Amino acid sequence: MFLISDLVSLLESYLDQKHIEEIYAAYLFSAEAHDGQHRLTGEPYIYHPIEVARILAEMRIDHTTIIAAILHDVLEDTETTPGEILESFGSDVLTIVQEVTDDKSFPKQARKDLQIAGAPRLSEQARWVKLADKICNLSDMAKNPPVGWPMERCVAYVDWCEAVIAGVRGTHVGLEGRFDDVCESARNAFKVE
């Protein structure tokens, strides 16, 4: 498990202290917002946004995008409001977070279809967050498939991730290569030809 202290150490290799402090503030905000939530693996939810941020930090992505990555699920999965993100982290971060946030008023399948349709229209920074999020999700799934998910559902999830990422291709060679590697591992884990 990758912890916030590990992320900070990674960030120190290329960001200044002020930006690292802003990222740490986003971590505290996200940890509080996601308090009590768990991933399908049973891990505390906050580990997911830290992992998404780590993937971006390994590519030396800017601090604004890393903050948005740490906050990428707070509008969708918590009681956090856009105004709270705007006040604490500014309009640039809020815009990225809103771009990658599903509208939960739509049924699940419609939200999935909207991610595919909307991917080509995302800003560059939102595309990076989307790539890192799908890398993280597929990696977790390949290592530890959700309990109760039949193989067909796991395969369908891999297919859907590929369809979403098809819309952001040409954005970041390193992230796309990493996605392809993780996708291949997931397909091998599920014995998909």
Side-chain angles (χ1 to χ4, degrees):
M1 136 186 48
F2 193 82
L3 303 174
I4 188 62
S5 57
D6 301 316
L7 178 61
V8 168
S9 293
L10 180 58
L11 295 169
E12 288 173 339
S13 70
Y14 76 100
L15 290 178
D16 63 43
Q17 192 60 36
K18 177 182 178 285
H19 291 151
I20 293 170
E21 289 170 7
E22 292 170 2
I23 291 167
Y24 192 78
Y27 158 73
L28 294 175
F29 185 98
S30 185
E32 183 177 333
H34 289 295
D35 187 42
Q37 295 179 343
H38 293 83
R39 300 274 286 167
L40 293 174
T41 60
E43 292 179 332
Y45 197 90
I46 190 60
Y47 292 171
H48 171 66
I50 292 171
E51 178 66 13
V52 173
R54 178 188 65 81
I55 291 165
L56 295 172
E58 287 176 347
M59 301 291 170
R60 301 177 75 82
I61 299 292
D62 67 277
H63 79 286
T64 300
T65 305
I66 291 175
I67 291 169
I70 291 171
L71 301 172
H72 80 274
D73 281 334
V74 296
L75 291 180
E76 189 172 322
D77 294 334
T78 76
E79 299 299 315
T80 302
T81 66
E84 291 171 303
I85 293 175
L86 179 63
E87 181 180 327
S88 298
F89 303 103
S91 62
D92 291 343
V93 169
L94 175 60
T95 297
I96 298 165
V97 172
Q98 287 177 316
E99 283 185 85
V100 298
T101 296
D102 285 350
D103 183 342
K104 288 245 177 150
S105 69
F106 290 105
K108 186 173 185 171
Q109 187 58 51
R111 293 193 311 264
K112 291 177 84 168
D113 293 343
L114 285 169
Q115 276 199 44
I116 294 168
R121 293 187 298 278
L122 295 175
S123 67
E124 183 175 63
Q125 290 170 302
R127 288 172 180 228
W128 295 340
V129 173
K130 185 67 72 176
L131 274 157
D133 183 42
K134 296 300 185 242
I135 290 166
C136 184
N137 289 344
L138 280 180
S139 180
D140 289 348
M141 178 178 258
K143 292 176 197 162
N144 191 6
V147 175
W149 278 33
M151 193 66 63
E152 297 77 27
R153 184 172 179 188
C154 293
V155 171
Y157 185 80
V158 175
D159 292 341
W160 172 72
C161 286
E162 281 190 309
V164 172
I165 296 308
V168 302
R169 293 277 178 188
T171 301
H172 193 286
V173 171
L175 288 169
E176 291 167 32
R178 185 128 180 230
F179 174 81
D180 293 340
D181 291 345
V182 169
C183 194
E184 182 179 351
S185 294
R187 290 207 176 278
N188 289 336
F190 304 129
K191 311 251 186 294
V192 179
E193 301 282 324

